[in-house]
Amino acid sequence: MDNLSWDDLRVLLAVHRGGSLLQAGRQLGLSTSTTGRRIAALEAALGATLVLRSQVGTTLTAEALRLIQLVEGFAHELQALGRDASPVIRKLRISVPTGMAAPLAGPLIALLRDRPHLDIELVGENRMADVAKREADIAVRLVRSTSNVLVEKSLGTFRFALFASADYARLRLPDRRLTRDAAADHLFIGLGTQWKHLPHERWMASLGARRYAFTSSAIEAIVEATRQGMGLAALLEADSRHDDLVRIETETVGPSQPLYLVYHRDLRRSPDLRAAVAAIESSLRAAGGLRKAG
């Protein structure tokens, strides 16, 4: 363990991310043979096999994956230290729910034009990035933070309603109203099982939803399935991405989903971070449907 080299650990991380020695070498500017020697040196230092090679790429062993968790955390900390040591942020990593990445891309690109020194990495993901551990500098979340090292800003709430395509409504719900007794006769569209705890998913279940003909983690896919007449979906009341869909009245009002923005308190005085936060908030408000907190 005392002989471990950070350079060799970086190579292992690159192999994990790239899926092969070739891609790892390209990422680090190393030849494939040098990449292989670095991995071999790391395996010798640990006395364990870390990378299994095949014609289709590489597979990491369980020992390597445990090591990767430590290496990734250390890499994030090094990047954070570099950002904090500089009065000007050079790169912001912003984590948002998958469906928000595309709408936020334009405003953040506009921000870059005014700040040529700044780079932005916008990550749309279904997991919740750990901002306290510096996996991201800014994150938009559906749940509140519990860490005392984060600054949290309530962006407001979104209201959900039930929607269908115009053809589906005309053929199946001509009065554009769904009763609980009739819900079992309809197909629904929503998120996967791991997201059924969210308010709008629980609301569809309370309306009587039983069969989900199509599920996805991507809002764009859910909207498209609804547009294609696959069933009914709970979507934001106001969202330009589904202006062509028909709102269906329900026996109970759709739920509200709070939205929060968090960032590490060490960056709170950064003009670049404040500008990015303002761009995110104004963009979400301009998209419609976001009700101001308080």
Side-chain angles (χ1 to χ4, degrees), residues 161-165 168-170 173 175-179 203 207 232-233 246-251:
L162 199 65
F163 288 87
S165 70
Y168 188 99
R170 177 174 54 82
L173 292 166
D175 60 353
R176 297 190 178 184
R177 180 173 179 80
L178 178 73
T179 63
W203 177 62
L207 293 177
L232 306 170
V246 172
R247 180 168 176 169
I248 304 300
E249 296 301 319
T250 54
E251 293 180 345

Side-chain angles (χ1 to χ4, degrees), residues 238-244 287:
D239 190 330
S240 59
R241 288 173 293 184
H242 58 71
D243 282 346
D244 56 329

Side-chain angles (χ1 to χ4, degrees), residues 26-47:
R26 287 176 177 173
Q27 177 184 332
L28 298 174
L30 302 174
S31 66
T32 303
S33 59
T34 299
T35 303
R37 285 196 299 271
R38 291 282 185 84
I39 293 297
L42 187 58
E43 290 177 328
L46 288 170

Side-chain angles (χ1 to χ4, degrees), residues 165-204:
S165 70
D167 285 344
Y168 188 99
R170 177 174 54 82
L171 295 173
R172 304 288 306 278
L173 292 166
D175 60 353
R176 297 190 178 184
R177 180 173 179 80
L178 178 73
T179 63
R180 182 174 177 80
D181 292 341
D185 298 329
H186 293 271
L187 300 178
F188 286 78
I189 302 164
L191 296 170
T193 304
Q194 68 271 36
W195 300 104
K196 292 302 181 187
H197 64 282
L198 292 177
H200 66 287
E201 290 288 333
R202 295 202 307 267
W203 177 62
M204 281 196 289

Side-chain angles (χ1 to χ4, degrees), residues 106-117:
L108 292 173
I109 291 169
L111 178 67
L112 292 178
R113 294 194 176 99
D114 295 330
R115 297 171 182 268
H117 64 276

